[in-house]
Amino acid sequence: NNTSAAGITLQQDANVTAVLTLTDGIVNTTSTNLLSLTSTASSTGGSTASFVDGPMDKTGNTAFIFPVGDGTLYAPIAIGTPNASSTYKAQYFETAFSNITTMASAPTPILAYVSLTEYWELNRTSGSGTATVNLYWNNTLNDSRVGNCTDLRVAYWDGTEWENNNNTNTTTGGCPSSGNITTTSDVTTYGTFTFGSTGAPLPVKLISFSATCDDKDVLVNWATSSELNNDYFTIERGLSETEFKAIGTVKGYGNSSQLLNYQFVDREAMKSNLPGTTWFYKLKQTDYNGMFEYSNSIAADNCNTKPKAVLLYPNVTNGKVQVINNSDQVATIEIYNSMGASVYTSQISNANAELSLNLPVGMYYYVLKNKDEWFGKGKLMLK
């Protein structure tokens, strides 16, 4: 239970004979400074707030969940009840394995893809026991990106290629936000494991997504740490988190296990005359086969905090309107009726001016300008 962001780092081997309780903080280990649980030990409390970053082992003949992770990601691996007392050593890596393309031709159905984001090492270091193997996922923006449980499998690296381990699947529909997949029978050989798929690729892993306003545009930035069959991204924008429309596309890289950065410049959002606008954005990522998924939505806050040199609002009013003049010159507002006749003209010299328009109810048109240029025009409804 350690609130330090660095957690604790073992400087020697540590043996637990009773209960390992993980409440808060990371336990950093290495192969020479190992955390070991004996046959009488158990573990509770592994979570995103507290896990073992590095290798650990467990001895005995009881089922066990290894509370391992890497960096900030908690990703446990588990064994079922071994049929003989043995010692198992586990470690999680939040990175692609060195080979992600070579698939075994048997057993069938053969794997089409393996994860581009993570793998586990699980080895039996003593004894002769066999046990089932569980892999866990959390399908958030920064995690495993498991997308289709129908095709999901446990993949095992046999030293030269990836095998479909036991032809395991878990559900017949879409995956829940978190879960695990278990081999259908005991594993007899150990080493490297990860998520595999017999059909749909494991989705693109998005590790960051942001939108910021500058004086003229909204800059939409995102980054991926892995991509598989990624055709393109569609950028969508809205004034709320429920209504979006597509505003542009950016070509994807295709296949990659490296960090890739993307940017889209939204030149239309800042043309709004309303100061302090919040725009919402989300990404739609589409594969070569047409499959797609959406990111979470994000907000670009307080756009247009420096409004155009001259602006008018509101445009639906009972006669009172405000004109903001941030130019260095005297601004002019001209209002025309529906027949095109000028019915009102005023010069605005101060920064803010409230006008009372004594005009009949109806639709009007206005023009805002100064000596050099027009700053805007639009409709004005008096009610």
Side-chain angles (χ1 to χ4, degrees):
N1 188 4
N2 188 324
T3 59
S4 167
I8 62 171
T9 299
L10 297 190
Q11 300 297 319
Q12 62 184 42
D13 290 342
N15 297 319
V16 178
T17 59
V19 180
L20 169 67
T21 304
L22 294 167
T23 302
D24 190 12
I26 308 303
V27 181
N28 298 285
T29 67
T30 67
S31 58
T32 56
N33 299 299
L34 189 66
L35 179 65
S36 298
L37 276 66
T38 68
S39 60
T40 58
S42 61
S43 174
T44 63
S47 68
T48 56
S50 189
F51 55 82
V52 177
D53 190 341
M56 65 175 297
D57 64 20
K58 175 69 171 74
T59 299
N61 57 0
T62 57
F64 184 73
I65 299 175
F66 292 86
V68 292
D70 188 7
T72 60
L73 183 59
Y74 175 57
I77 185 172
I79 56 171
T81 303
N83 58 11
S85 182
S86 303
T87 299
Y88 290 89
K89 182 179 178 181
Q91 184 172 1
Y92 171 74
F93 300 87
E94 190 191 4
T95 186
F97 188 66
S98 56
N99 184 314
I100 56 174
T101 58
T102 306
M103 308 298 164
S105 58
T108 57
I110 64 174
L111 297 175
Y113 309 99
V114 295
S115 174
L116 297 177
T117 69
E118 61 191 344
Y119 67 96
W120 291 260
E121 292 287 348
L122 177 67
N123 290 286
R124 185 183 59 203
T125 58
S126 70
S128 59
T130 62
T132 57
V133 174
N134 279 46
L135 305 181
Y136 289 76
W137 74 84
N138 292 289
N139 197 20
T140 63
L141 195 64
N142 296 320
D143 293 350
S144 301
R145 309 305 297 165
V146 169
N148 188 334
C149 280
T150 303
D151 300 324
L152 190 65
R153 300 293 188 271
V154 174
Y156 167 68
W157 178 253
D158 68 2
T160 58
E161 54 193 3
W162 287 102
E163 293 182 355
N164 177 358
N165 199 309
N166 300 142
N167 190 30
T168 301
N169 64 10
T170 54
T171 69
T172 57
C175 287
S177 60
S178 62
N180 67 87
I181 181 171
T182 309
T183 58
T184 52
S185 59
D186 283 1
V187 172
T188 57
T189 56
Y190 298 88
T192 304
F193 296 87
T194 192
F195 295 115
S197 173
T198 59
L202 299 176
V204 168
K205 184 172 183 181
L206 188 68
I207 60 172
S208 65
F209 182 30
S210 63
T212 56
C213 310
D214 64 15
D215 291 341
K216 297 185 297 182
D217 310 306
V218 178
L219 306 179
V220 183
N221 296 280
W222 66 98
T224 64
S225 63
S226 64
E227 298 184 11
L228 187 63
N229 289 345
N230 179 24
D231 191 3
Y232 61 93
F233 295 95
T234 303
I235 300 89
E236 299 188 0
R237 182 188 67 212
L239 277 172
S240 72
E241 293 187 86
T242 58
E243 296 184 6
F244 288 87
K245 72 172 184 177
I247 59 172
T249 60
V250 172
K251 186 67 177 174
Y253 190 84
N255 300 311
S256 171
S257 59
Q258 299 178 344
L259 176 67
L260 297 173
N261 294 290
Y262 294 90
Q263 184 177 86
F264 177 81
V265 181
D266 183 1
R267 304 189 187 283
E268 298 299 318
M270 297 289 280
K271 292 182 179 180
S272 165
N273 282 336
L274 297 177
T277 301
T278 295
W279 291 106
F280 295 91
Y281 292 85
K282 65 180 179 179
L283 292 175
K284 177 183 178 182
Q285 181 272 317
T286 303
D287 293 335
Y288 291 127
N289 61 6
M291 295 180 64
F292 61 88
E293 68 170 353
Y294 279 98
S295 71
N296 295 328
S297 62
I298 59 170
D301 296 317
N302 297 318
C303 296
N304 285 4
T305 54
K306 295 181 179 179
K308 295 179 180 180
V310 183
L311 62 86
L312 175 148
Y313 68 93
N315 59 1
V316 177
T317 175
N318 59 2
K320 292 186 180 296
V321 296
Q322 187 172 10
V323 180
I324 297 178
N325 179 15
N326 288 329
S327 69
D328 296 329
Q329 302 173 357
V330 175
T332 300
I333 176 173
E334 295 184 6
I335 298 177
Y336 303 85
N337 63 19
S338 59
M339 302 300 292
S342 177
V343 294
Y344 183 90
T345 300
S346 179
Q347 290 186 330
I348 309 298
S349 58
N350 56 328
N352 296 278
E354 185 175 275
L355 305 179
S356 294
L357 303 176
N358 187 18
L359 297 171
V361 171
M363 179 68 72
Y364 295 85
Y365 301 86
Y366 67 87
V367 173
L368 298 169
K369 60 183 179 180
N370 64 15
K371 179 179 179 181
D372 297 324
E373 61 180 317
W374 288 19
F375 281 104
K377 60 182 179 179
K379 295 179 180 180
L380 180 66
M381 173 67 75
L382 269 65
K383 60 181 181 178

